Amino acid sequence: MLEQLRSIVQKVNAAKDLRSALDIIVHRVREALDAQVCSVYLLDKDINSHVLMASDGLNQEAIGHVSLEVGEGLIGLVAKHAEPVNLQDASLHPSYLYLKETGEENFHAFLGVPIIHHRSVLGVLVVQHEDRRRFDEEEEAFLITLSAQLAGVIAHAEATGAIAGVSPSGHKTSDTVFTGVSGSPGVAIGHAVVVFPLADLSQIPDRPAKDIDKEIKFFNECLNAVREDMRELHRRLAGHVAEEERQLFDVYVRMLDDDALGNEVVQRIKTGNWAQGALAYVANEHVRNFEEMNDQYLRERAVDIKDLCSRVLFYLQDKDPVVTEYRDDTILVSEELTPAMLVEVPKDKLKGLVSVKGSGNSHVAILARTMGIPTVMGSVDLPYNQLDGKELIVDGYKGEVISNPSDQVRKRYLNTIKEQDLLIADLEVLKDLPCETADHHRVHLWVNTGLMSDVMHSLDQGAEGIGLFRTEVPFLLRERFPSEQEQMAIYREQLQAFAPKIVTMRTLDVGGDKSLSYFPIKEENPFLGWRGIRVTLDHPEIFMAQIRSMLRASIGLENLQIMLPMVSNINEVNSSMQLIKKAHHELIQEGLDVRFPPIGVMIELPAAVYQARALAKLVDFISVGSNDLTQYLLAVDRNNPRVAHLYSAFHPAVLHALYQVVSSVQEEGKPISICGEMAGDPGGAVLLIAMGFDILSMNAATLLKVKSVIRSVSLEAAQDLLDQVMQMDDAQMIRSAVDMALYNAGVDRLLRSSRTN
Ligand code: PEP
Ligand code: MG
C-alpha cells in the first residue's frame, strides 16, 4: 500500500495542471482500491458549489457540469463535517441526492473523504462500488492518507489557475486571496517583481522572452559552452578515473543534444518564455520524472539532470546577468526574501513585500517594519513563480495577498491607503511632544536600527535613543567580515548621528535565521544551536574586534552602551565582561582616551527569565528581546509559517514572564527596557508601560503610532487593563480585551490592528 501511495503522489506531483492531476488521481485510486468509481469534487467558491471535476466510472459528460451547492448531498455532508462518510448503500442515506447526469444509480457502496488543506476543505474524494458493502477500514485509511497528501498539490494547482484568473471549474475569477501572516502593517497596490537567488533552478520565475530568436541563439551558445566543458572534463580525466565513469561525460553531452533536453528547452522558448524560465521548466519536469522512477539507479539520475542544467543556468546568468527592472510600484515577491533583496530596490519604488517562507518575526519582516513597507510573510500557497508582472494587493494588516483584484476591491483598498496616509500625516504633529500618558507618566520611546537610513528616519520621528542597533545587519550585507576600521566607521556614524542620545549596540547576533554568506552555519536546529553570544565567545577574535571598534567609535561622544544577545547563564556574561575589559585595557594602553561603557544583557531565553536578578546584578541594564523570548517560551519557531498562528506575545506565559523580569530587575534597582517587536505594537506597549518598563524600543515606523496610543490612555487605566489580562488564560482573549480597551479609549482602527499577534 505504501508503495502505491508513494507512486500515486509522485505521479500527481508531476502533473502539469489541475485537470491532469485530478485525472491521475481518479484513475490510480480507482485501480488501487479496486473500486468501480473514483471521483473528485472541488469547491468552487465563486459559485458556492462542489463541482464534479474528474471521475473514472461516472458519465464523462457530467464532468465540469454537475455540481452540488455547499451543504447539498453526501458530498456536502462530507465537506461540512470534514469527516469521511462510509456507507453500504448510499441511496438509503437521508442526505443522498440522485444526480441523473452522472449515471451513479448503479453504485451502492460509497466512501467520501474530505480533501483538507490548512484547515479548510477544498473538496471531496469519493470511491463507489456496485456491491452493497462498506469499504473496509484499510481502504478508508488509505483514502484518508492519500487525500491528506494530495491536498497540497491540489491547492497549488488551484492557486496556479487562480493566478491566471480561472476558478477550479473554469469560471473567470477575481480577488483570489492567498493567506499568510502580517509581516508589516499597511496596504500596498502594485505589480509583482519576482526575485530569486541565482543558480537555483527551482526558483526561476516565468518571464516573457523579449526576442524569441535571440533568446534561442543565446541559449544554444550557453548549451555549447557546457558541452565543451564536458568534453574537456572527459579529456582531462583520461587515465585518472575508470573508463566506465569517464563515459558518464559522454552521456551528459548526449543529453544536451539538439534532440534531447536542448531541444525541449528551445521548444519552450518558442512558446514565449525566456531561456532561464524554459530551462528551469524542462529541468524540473525531468527531475520530477526521474525521482518518481521505481528503480533506484534511475531515481538517482535526477541529480545528473540537476547538475547539468545548473551548469547551463550558470552560463545563462553569467553571460547575461539578470538585471532586475524594478517598476515604480514594485511589490517584491520571493520564495524567501532576504535583507539583501530588500535593500537592492530603490526606496521610492518599493511599495510592498511578499515572502512565501518566513513569518512575522523573521528578521526580514522586522527590517520591513523598520522601513514601513506593507508586508505579507509565509504565504505558503502562493505560486510565486507565475506572478512576475501581475497586479497584486498586499494587505499587511491581515496578512493577505490578493491577485486579479476587481475594480470594487481595488477601490476599497485605495480608500484604506488614503486613510492610512491621512493617519500618518496626522501623527506628524506628535513628533516633538513628549511621550506621556494622559495622567503624565513619562515613557521613553527608543528605536531599533540596523542601517544608517534607519537612523535618519528615527531622528525624524522624534526617537529619544537607540535601544537596539542590530550590528549584524551591516555584516549581513557584506561579502566578508568588516575590518576593525570599517566597523568603527559604521558605529561612529550611528553614535554621531544620535549624540548625545544613547545608542545601544548589540554584539553580533548571527545564527538562527541570520547567517552570513561568508561564515555559513549549518545545523539541524539553528535556533537552539550556535547563535549570538555562543558564536562570539567561541570566536574571541571576532568579539574583540567588534568591541574595540565600538569603543574607539565612541571616543569623545560617550553615548555608547553595549548589549549581549542570547545569554543563557552568568558564565557567558562573566566571560564577555572579561573580553570587554581586555579590549578596553588594550585601547588605554594604546593611548586612547576610552570610557568604559554601560553593559547590558538581553533576556531572550526562558532560562534568563529565571535568572534575571542574578544577571541584573552583573550588569548596568537589562533589555528584553520579546521576539526570541516568545519563540523559546512557546516553542514556536519564529520563522516557520506553519506555526505562525501559535506565536503570540500576548500568550499568558509570555506576559507572566515579562512581568516577572520587570520585578526581578527592579529589585536590583537597574533600568529595564524592551526591544522586541511587542514594544512597537500599540496594544502591547500599553501593557508594557503598565508592567513598569522604563524604555520601549521599536522600529521607527511604529514610534508615532505608539506615542499616540500612550498619550490617549492613563497609566491607571493601563494598570487596570493589565490586572484584568493577567487573570486571563488565553492569548486571543487577552488580545481582544486589549483591542476593546483601545477602542474604548477612542484609538483609530488602523492603529489598533497594527499587528495581529
Ligand atoms: C528579540 O529577540 O526580541 C530581539 C530584539 O532580537 P532579534 O529580533 O534581533 O533576535
Ligand atoms: Mg533576539
Side-chain angles (χ1 to χ4, degrees):
M1 276 261 166
L2 186 64
E3 195 46 46
Q4 267 178 323
L5 254 173
R6 199 175 71 86
S7 139
I8 297 178
V9 173
Q10 276 172 349
K11 278 251 158 12
V12 175
N13 260 320
K16 63 176 189 308
D17 55 24
L18 183 62
R19 288 282 154 143
S20 21
L22 298 180
D23 282 341
I24 297 169
I25 295 173
V26 293
H27 294 310
R28 298 289 305 261
V29 172
R30 195 192 58 70
E31 267 173 29
L33 290 187
D34 202 14
Q36 279 158 332
V37 176
C38 178
S39 317
V40 174
Y41 294 79
L42 289 185
L43 174 66
D44 190 327
K45 286 193 190 131
D46 285 353
I47 52 170
N48 203 33
S49 300
H50 289 107
V51 181
L52 175 65
M53 294 293 297
S55 180
D56 184 353
L58 297 183
N59 286 341
Q60 294 301 293
E61 300 81 60
I63 293 168
H65 299 294
V66 163
S67 64
L68 292 131
E69 266 183 38
V70 166
E72 234 182 15
L74 289 170
I75 302 302
L77 189 71
V78 175
K80 183 169 151 208
H81 294 293
E83 268 179 331
V85 170
N86 191 350
L87 303 169
Q88 194 173 338
D89 191 340
S91 61
L92 302 181
H93 193 280
S95 293
Y96 178 71
L97 193 81
Y98 172 53
L99 299 165
K100 106 169 160 321
E101 304 91 317
T102 61
E104 66 179 332
E105 58 275 18
N106 301 326
F107 306 109
H108 299 286
F110 173 102
L111 169 60
V113 300
I115 304 168
I116 304 179
H117 183 63
H118 293 159
R119 297 187 183 192
S120 74
V121 181
L122 301 180
V124 178
L125 178 60
V126 180
V127 282
Q128 291 172 285
H129 203 284
E130 265 177 7
D131 298 349
R132 286 183 171 80
R133 65 155 176 102
R134 270 173 72 91
F135 284 91
D136 68 27
E137 257 185 44
E138 203 183 327
E139 290 168 323
E140 188 173 318
F142 175 83
L143 209 58
I144 292 174
T145 316
L146 189 71
S147 167
Q149 293 208 28
L150 293 177
V153 190
I154 294 176
H156 179 76
E158 276 196 13
T160 307
I163 290 295
V166 239
S167 77
S169 58
H171 294 87
K172 221 170 145 347
T173 188
S174 60
D175 302 326
T176 307
V177 177
F178 294 94
T179 43
V181 290
S182 165
S184 170
V187 165
I189 303 179
H191 286 85
V193 175
V194 180
V195 286
F196 49 94
L198 290 181
D200 184 347
L201 282 163
S202 67
Q203 292 195 41
I204 308 283
D206 286 343
R207 270 187 194 161
K210 286 197 182 114
D211 177 333
I212 292 183
D213 290 338
K214 259 197 198 157
E215 200 72 5
I216 293 177
K217 192 162 163 272
F218 173 52
F219 170 71
N220 281 328
E221 275 167 30
C222 295
L223 199 64
N224 279 334
V226 176
R227 262 195 214 123
E228 196 36 54
D229 287 351
M230 290 296 136
R231 290 199 190 100
E232 174 60 23
L233 266 172
H234 186 248
R235 278 194 290 275
R236 269 200 277 146
L237 290 176
H240 295 289
V241 296
E243 193 47 33
E244 208 177 280
E245 283 169 33
R246 215 164 68 92
Q247 294 309 326
L248 194 61
F249 294 96
D250 278 345
V251 178
Y252 270 16
V253 173
R254 264 181 272 126
M255 277 161 89
L256 293 173
D257 275 352
D258 292 344
D259 54 353
L261 271 176
N263 182 40
E264 283 181 53
V265 178
V266 168
Q267 293 312 320
R268 184 103 190 141
I269 300 176
K270 283 187 182 163
T271 68
N273 205 352
W274 65 324
Q276 291 192 36
L279 172 73
Y281 179 87
V282 170
N284 294 336
E285 263 289 81
H286 280 277
V287 167
R288 268 203 303 264
N289 285 339
F290 272 109
E291 277 174 349
E292 85 182 38
M293 307 251 176
N294 285 334
D295 181 296
Q296 189 177 344
Y297 174 79
L298 288 175
R299 264 207 308 271
E300 283 168 7
R301 300 288 61 79
V303 179
D304 298 340
I305 299 273
K306 253 190 230 166
D307 176 46
L308 203 55
C309 292
S310 301
R311 286 168 190 265
V312 182
L313 184 66
F314 171 80
Y315 274 104
L316 288 171
Q317 294 183 337
D318 190 50
K319 286 186 192 282
D320 183 16
V322 184
V323 184
T324 312
E325 282 169 30
Y326 298 106
R327 317 170 60 122
D328 288 344
D329 59 350
T330 293
I331 305 284
L332 199 68
V333 179
S334 183
E335 184 181 25
E336 187 161 22
L337 281 177
T338 63
M341 288 173 179
L342 251 70
V343 295
E344 252 174 50
V345 191
K347 184 108 198 331
D348 56 325
K349 295 190 170 186
L350 185 57
K351 304 294 175 228
L353 297 166
V354 180
S355 182
V356 172
K357 290 189 178 161
S359 89
N361 290 287
S362 302
H363 283 90
V364 72
I366 292 176
L367 191 61
R369 286 200 283 281
T370 308
M371 294 163 76
I373 312 283
T375 301
V376 172
M377 300 290 295
S379 185
V380 287
D381 289 327
L382 193 75
Y384 64 94
N385 49 10
Q386 319 276 317
L387 285 181
D388 209 48
K390 298 257 169 20
E391 186 185 18
L392 294 179
I393 296 179
V394 176
D395 182 339
Y397 294 110
K398 286 202 212 142
E400 290 179 351
V401 181
I402 298 158
S403 73
N404 291 315
S406 61
D407 289 346
Q408 203 186 354
V409 166
R410 193 183 300 106
K411 206 165 147 199
R412 202 174 75 222
Y413 274 104
L414 280 170
N415 281 339
T416 309
I417 293 176
K418 259 191 224 148
E419 222 183 306
Q420 200 175 267
D421 291 347
L422 278 177
L423 178 79
I424 292 173
D426 282 354
L427 291 175
E428 288 268 306
V429 297
L430 298 176
K431 261 185 350 202
D432 300 320
L433 296 180
C435 180
E436 56 181 26
T437 56
D439 49 356
H440 307 296
H441 171 68
R442 182 78 164 86
V443 183
H444 299 277
L445 300 190
W446 290 16
V447 279
N448 299 343
T449 62
L451 299 167
M452 195 54 204
S453 54
D454 300 339
V455 171
M456 295 313 163
H457 185 43
S458 306
L459 285 168
D460 241 23
Q461 304 291 299
E464 298 173 79
I466 295 183
L468 166 64
F469 168 38
R470 290 187 166 94
T471 58
E472 58 280 0
V473 176
F475 279 66
L476 284 169
L477 304 177
R478 281 185 161 63
E479 286 174 356
R480 55 167 177 75
F481 281 112
S483 67
E484 191 173 314
Q485 204 61 30
E486 284 168 328
Q487 286 189 57
M488 199 184 88
I490 299 167
Y491 304 151
R492 181 86 187 169
E493 249 187 329
Q494 298 255 343
L495 291 162
Q496 214 155 26
F498 252 77
K501 299 183 180 84
I502 291 174
V503 174
T504 313
M505 298 203 173
R506 174 171 76 184
T507 60
L508 195 64
D509 184 23
V510 290
D513 65 341
K514 290 178 284 194
S515 78
L516 305 173
S517 55
Y518 48 90
F519 188 67
I521 301 173
K522 290 253 173 295
E523 290 180 311
E524 288 274 317
N525 281 309
F527 277 116
L528 296 184
W530 209 42
R531 219 199 131 179
I533 200 74
R534 301 170 180 184
V535 176
T536 45
L537 284 179
D538 286 350
H539 274 282
E541 79 288 10
I542 297 174
F543 191 77
M544 286 289 284
Q546 194 174 32
I547 302 292
R548 282 176 54 97
S549 322
M550 289 178 181
L551 294 180
R552 286 173 62 192
S554 72
I555 294 175
L557 297 171
E558 322 306 357
N559 58 341
L560 164 75
Q561 50 184 29
I562 295 178
M563 181 162 82
L564 309 170
M566 228 1 230
V567 167
S568 65
N569 60 59
I570 59 162
N571 297 333
E572 287 164 339
V573 181
N574 288 330
S575 308
S576 306
M577 271 306 197
Q578 273 173 13
L579 290 172
I580 299 172
K581 282 183 186 151
K582 186 169 163 221
H584 181 246
H585 185 69
E586 277 176 14
L587 294 173
I588 298 280
Q589 297 270 298
E590 288 166 29
L592 298 171
D593 181 17
V594 194
R595 191 189 64 132
F596 196 86
I599 308 293
V601 160
M602 289 185 79
I603 304 281
E604 302 188 276
L605 313 185
V609 171
Y610 295 105
Q611 288 222 286
R613 186 141 188 205
L615 292 166
K617 263 195 183 68
L618 299 177
V619 290
D620 304 295
F621 67 95
I622 293 287
S623 183
V624 177
S626 57
N627 307 337
D628 277 315
L629 185 57
T630 307
Q631 144 165 282
Y632 292 121
L633 270 175
L634 305 183
V636 176
D637 179 342
R638 62 193 269 185
N639 223 16
N640 183 345
R642 273 204 200 158
V643 288
H645 61 287
L646 297 174
Y647 184 105
S648 171
F650 287 78
H651 190 292
V654 179
L655 296 183
H656 283 278
L658 292 170
Y659 213 177
Q660 179 168 335
V661 171
V662 177
S663 35
S664 307
V665 176
Q666 282 174 344
E667 278 165 29
E668 267 319 298
K670 300 280 167 72
I672 170 87
S673 59
I674 178 163
C675 57
E677 293 299 299
M678 190 186 181
D681 178 305
V686 170
L687 296 181
L688 294 169
I689 58 164
M691 284 184 193
F693 279 94
D694 305 313
I695 298 163
L696 309 184
S697 188
M698 63 202 67
N699 61 70
T702 53
L703 195 140
L704 291 180
K705 294 182 186 174
V706 171
K707 194 190 267 189
S708 139
V709 172
I710 289 180
R711 287 176 61 88
S712 61
V713 295
S714 67
L715 180 63
E716 200 186 339
Q719 281 165 340
D720 283 350
L721 177 64
L722 180 66
D723 287 346
Q724 197 191 327
V725 302
M726 292 306 272
Q727 306 300 319
M728 297 180 175
D729 50 16
D730 172 69
Q732 270 185 356
M733 267 172 68
I734 295 178
R735 177 96 239 188
S736 307
V738 173
D739 273 354
M740 183 56 77
L742 295 191
Y743 173 81
N744 289 337
V747 171
D748 187 281
R749 174 178 74 91
L750 292 181
L751 289 178
R752 293 198 309 274
S753 54
S754 102
R755 293 287 323 276
T756 48
N757 53 28

